Amino acid sequence: MDWQERIRAKGLRISEPRRQIMTLLAETTVPLSPAAIHTCIQKQGGSLSLASVYRTLRLLEDLDLLCQVYLADGNLGFMVHDSGHHHHVLCRCCNRSVDFPGNDDLLALAARVEELTGYTISDHMLQFYGLCPQCRQA
Amino acid sequence: MDWQERIRAKGLRISEPRRQIMTLLAETTVPLSPAAIHTCIQKQGGSLSLASVYRTLRLLEDLDLLCQVYLADGNLGFMVHDSGHHHHVLCRCCNRSVDFPGNDDLLALAARVEELTGYTISDHMLQFYGLCPQCRQA
DNA sequence: GTATTATTGAGAAACTTTCTCAATAAGAGG
DNA sequence: CCTCTTATTGAGAAAGTTTCTCAATAATAC
């Protein structure tokens, strides 16, 4: 089920802003902030209001079509959400981001933390930071 | 070396705002946002400007006396930084937060991700979310 | 004490995010 | 293909957050 079907399935409509944002995010490897998305699309000749960017991002994230990552500088960026549980590695230099499938690596740790703290753990957030192949050479 | 020494070691001064904020954060188990810190101290009868809160938080974090955590709602909160590498578990209900010592659990995963992505991993961010013992009962 | 100067407060300014509402356009049905 | 319904948008106001400026204050050294 692609993103358009997912939107229609909710009784919502495929509009130009939604198309523009999904297209932009689908072809970039760098997570983009709302402001960056706005200026980026305007540079390409497109036109959409900043309010629409925020509205659309929230919608697409609710539909699980996008996910947020914390950039190296602490800001938030949006990316298309790949299927299945996964995490991201981000380049501290260029922000380029790649995801990798989530697996059971954290299960043992989570169990230990539950025992240690008394909390009941339901989920987690994990991101790796480093240098991408391109930036390592420079 | 306590926080006052750490500040003096940099040639900086122990001021009232710095004392108030460190005291407040030392006695709370819930990570607080800048605005929350501001109103909280004013309620206690103290007085400090919001600008000072931001300035002081940045300073204390640079000195590694505070650390930031991402609350369940996506906002940022500040806590006193315990010594050594560690992570946090946050309660999705009351935000109460506890830390646990970092260990080598992620080393194997990081190595796998390096191989998979070609990135060179330097560090990571990890937080667990769930319910604290108090909230689980309610 | 006194001098030096780091630090603060208050308000302006920049920036980010949300809200409102009339105008527009997507999709359903004929 | 046209019309109707209503979800969606744009533009600007509004709310909220973070930074900046600079004169006044206060912490430390001597």
Side-chain angles (χ1 to χ4, degrees):
Chain A
M1 183 150 90
D2 72 347
W3 67 271
Q4 304 206 353
E5 294 175 54
R6 190 111 45 117
I7 284 181
R8 286 215 189 81
K10 288 270 182 180
L12 304 173
R13 298 174 180 176
I14 310 295
S15 67
E16 202 48 37
R18 290 170 189 173
R19 214 190 317 263
Q20 287 174 316
I21 290 176
M22 278 304 287
T23 303
L24 174 62
L25 291 180
E27 62 193 20
T28 179
T29 54
V30 178
L32 296 174
S33 70
I37 290 170
H38 186 229
T39 59
C40 206
I41 288 178
Q42 295 210 321
K43 267 189 211 157
Q44 294 175 0
S47 107
L48 82 175
S49 72
L50 191 52
S52 289
V53 175
Y54 280 98
R55 275 186 298 231
T56 302
L57 288 176
R58 183 156 34 179
L59 171 71
L60 296 177
E61 205 191 1
D62 287 347
L63 291 176
D64 216 32
L65 293 166
L66 297 183
C67 60
Q68 296 184 322
V69 299
Y70 295 94
L71 303 181
D73 62 9
N75 286 115
L76 269 173
F78 289 82
M79 302 197 68
V80 295
H81 188 211
D82 288 306
S83 58
H85 184 65
H86 65 274
H87 302 291
H88 294 91
V89 213
L90 286 99
C91 180
R92 281 213 176 275
C93 178
C94 70
N95 273 333
R96 198 188 322 261
S97 175
V98 171
D99 58 24
F100 57 92
N103 47 29
D104 301 339
D105 293 80
L106 293 176
L107 286 184
L109 178 57
R112 190 136 26 99
V113 172
E114 284 190 328
E115 216 174 312
L116 201 64
T117 64
Y119 277 55
T120 303
I121 293 175
S122 58
D123 59 318
H124 59 265
M125 172 174 73
L126 171 66
Q127 287 184 199
F128 283 108
Y129 295 97
L131 283 180
C132 71
Q134 287 89 335
C135 288
R136 188 175 35 224
Q137 304 194 319
Chain B
M1 182 149 91
D2 72 346
W3 67 271
Q4 304 205 355
E5 294 175 52
R6 189 110 46 119
I7 285 182
R8 286 215 188 80
K10 288 271 183 181
L12 304 173
R13 299 173 180 177
I14 311 296
S15 66
E16 201 47 38
R18 289 169 189 174
R19 214 188 319 264
Q20 287 174 316
I21 290 177
M22 278 305 287
T23 303
L24 174 62
L25 291 181
E27 61 193 19
T28 179
T29 54
V30 178
L32 297 174
S33 69
I37 290 171
H38 185 230
T39 59
C40 206
I41 288 179
Q42 295 210 318
K43 268 189 211 156
Q44 293 175 0
S47 106
L48 82 176
S49 72
L50 191 51
S52 289
V53 175
Y54 280 97
R55 274 187 297 230
T56 302
L57 288 176
R58 184 157 32 179
L59 171 72
L60 296 176
E61 206 192 359
D62 286 348
L63 291 176
D64 216 33
L65 293 166
L66 298 182
C67 60
Q68 296 184 322
V69 299
Y70 295 94
L71 304 180
D73 62 9
N75 286 115
L76 267 174
F78 289 82
M79 304 197 67
V80 296
H81 185 114
D82 289 306
S83 57
H85 185 65
H86 65 273
H87 302 289
H88 293 92
V89 213
L90 286 100
C91 179
R92 282 212 175 277
C93 178
C94 71
N95 273 334
R96 198 188 324 260
S97 175
V98 172
D99 57 23
F100 57 91
N103 47 30
D104 301 340
D105 293 80
L106 293 177
L107 287 184
L109 179 56
R112 189 136 25 97
V113 172
E114 284 190 329
E115 216 173 312
L116 202 63
T117 64
Y119 277 56
T120 303
I121 294 176
S122 58
D123 59 318
H124 58 265
M125 172 174 73
L126 171 67
Q127 287 185 198
F128 283 108
Y129 296 97
L131 283 178
C132 70
Q134 287 91 335
C135 288
R136 188 175 35 225
Q137 305 194 320

